[in-house]
Amino acid sequence: MDQASSAMLKPGESAATLAPVQDFIAELHARVSQMSGGKVADYIPELGKADPATFGIALATVDGEDYATGESHHGFTIQSVSKPFMYGYALQHYGRQYVLRHVGVEPTGEAFNSIVLDEVANRPFNPMVNAGAIAVAALMPGSSLEDRIATMLNLFSDLAGRRLEIDEAVYRSELATGHRNRAIAYMMLNTGMIDGDPTEALDLYFRQCSIIVTCRDLAVMAATLANDGVNPVTGVNVIEPHYVRDVLSVMNSCGMYNYAGQWSYEVGMPAKSGVSGCIMAVIPGQLGIGVYSPPLDAQGNSVRGIKVCQDISNEFELHAFNNRTNVRNVIRRFYRGDRVRSSRLRTAEERDLLEAQGAKTAVIETQGALFFGSTEQLLRRIAEIAASARYVIVDFKRVHLGDAAARKLILRLAHSMRGGPTQLLFAELANDGPLGPLSRELAEHETERLLRVFRDVDAALEWCEDQLVLDARKYPPDPKFALAALDVFKGLSAEEYRLVETIVRPLIFDKGELIIREGDQAKLFFVLARGTVSVQIRVPTQTGEKQRRVASLGPGVTFGEMALFDGGARSADVIADERVICYGLAVEQLQQLAVTHPNIMVTILTNLTREFSERLRHANEAIRTLE
Ligand code: DON
């Protein structure tokens, strides 16, 4: 907490007390604690010992923040809430097709311990009912039961982000009384729905149900599913995103058994309940919820747990079908290259050219998530703009997500525009960024020159400007500016030119060479005769500092002029982007020359001032356009 914000808090108040979510669940807990009704499960005798008054609520966000109230540290056995994770593990280990042959994804509308099996497909209906969960346990890989138990415990410990243990008393109680499950297992063995010794599968199943967790653990496990399978606290990648989607789909349709329909209708979150009185619910991309309160309703779901999830869903509108995706704002901004130019400083002649031709370059800034709906909007806009643009730059800087549908559509567009009248250019498509897969796919098409990808919009704009200048210019691409052709000396008499030539030092710098160093005393100013240079400043970072490119300069443009104005220390580094030729003018010599020929200095300063005001005018125009 920085100095400024601590000054803002009232006496005795701290940042921790500013927690509206925490306040809400504390109020919710107090309110729901008043609820009565329900019965503690005792068909597993050990479970019957639970204190019905114990009640905890916990939330965990996808960036690892957690909120908890009530008995949120109280340990209880996870029971059926273990089933979605074992299913996810099986999918990840064997793949969808293999697992689908062993367990279906159809809700039964029956109770969790239903002995009804899908005899048509010869498999249990889904992995959320006991039959399906036992079939999934039978799939757990490993050379021995001990091996399989260890793998299972590692899975749940990774999900909770801490080492979990098994409640031996509950496990033995299940083992001693799990006759119905035993019957289900042997029925499945009988029809070949499971292979091998059902007692081992049952043993593993009873142990997974007997893992001790708390509400906080369930919230973190749920947040791991909400976070595409990555534990938000530890960063461990537990389940691959595409299998997370499968797990959430089955939780949504089957997780609450014969209450699933009503739950989906009223609460609208993929969830899973456990007979110990716990409920885990997931809000994809946002949050995980864990609730514990032993008294169960007729369907075997925690009475208070359901109420808590209903109220959180209603209060914060977390129902999965509350449409929160707005495909229309995928385009943050659109502008053209006559209004906004690159940071490349250009001669007056080039600026005039771009004033006239710049509109041939169009820039579309995108933002948010790229999925089918938003990408379809974007592509329609690109197609529309392409009709009146030579170059279309798409800036992905503010895109935080791009799914496979977006990638496929964008690649299709790139293919359809290749070789056409309008060139498509992309910027800010980092390989390690949210659109990394697209960047890598485009790189695979590098040879086909599908499209050009630039590190940022500035570089893309500069490239388009160079193309437009090249197309419009009458002289060769890589001019060497003669002294007389330079804007800064425009207006000097022939005599004055001759005098200036006597103090000009032609300087050659190789690619990457430092021409000016930030902080050095400014004694020379330069005019670029050939090539381009970059102006870079050092900006502090968490780990030190990095170079930030603030401008680039092309032939005919001056730099280091501060030497002329205040002679102070250099404010930036200037580096040669390629082999460059400059004219260096020592300020001291120029000042000596000005003693006898003051018009030289007046003309140079006037031209520089005009140059600066032109840059300022254009900067204001760009700000106005980008507002
Ligand atoms: O197999 C059983 O019956 C228990 N171990 C798990 C059942 C359960 O959690 C049902 N959930 N509401």
Side-chain angles (χ1 to χ4, degrees), residues 489-499 597 599-600 603:
F489 300 129
K490 272 217 176 71
L492 290 180
S493 66
E495 166 57 11
E496 287 163 345
Y497 263 123
R498 194 188 57 71
L499 288 170
H597 298 79
N599 183 52
I600 292 177
T603 305

Side-chain angles (χ1 to χ4, degrees), residues 239-255:
I239 302 177
E240 287 155 43
H242 52 283
Y243 293 129
V244 168
R245 195 198 65 190
D246 294 341
V247 169
L248 293 176
S249 309
V250 178
M251 282 171 68
N252 196 52
S253 56
C254 312

Side-chain angles (χ1 to χ4, degrees), residues 71 74-78 211-215 218 276-278 291-292:
E71 284 84 34
H74 177 83
F76 53 86
T77 52
I78 193 173
I211 292 173
I212 302 169
V213 291
T214 65
C215 287
L218 290 190
S276 54
C278 53
V291 192
Y292 174 66

Side-chain angles (χ1 to χ4, degrees), residues 43-44 47 78-81 83 112-113 128 130 134 174 181 205-206 209-210 255 257 272-276 278 296 299-301:
Y43 72 96
I44 302 169
L47 289 185
I78 193 173
Q79 296 302 327
S80 288
V81 175
K83 295 170 178 173
F112 67 85
N113 54 3
M128 301 297 133
N130 288 10
I134 294 165
E174 289 236 34
N181 287 328
Y205 170 72
F206 291 144
C209 290
S210 306
Y257 312 118
K272 187 73 205 80
S273 63
V275 82
S276 54
C278 53
L296 307 178
Q299 280 95 12
N301 301 314

Side-chain angles (χ1 to χ4, degrees), residues 87-119:
Y87 179 58
Y89 185 88
L91 286 170
Q92 188 143 289
H93 190 83
Y94 295 101
R96 274 172 138 225
Q97 291 322 313
Y98 180 86
V99 174
L100 267 175
R101 283 204 295 280
H102 289 80
V103 60
V105 291
E106 280 308 325
T108 61
E110 301 271 338
F112 67 85
N113 54 3
S114 153
I115 57 172
V116 178
L117 300 166
D118 180 348
E119 278 150 23

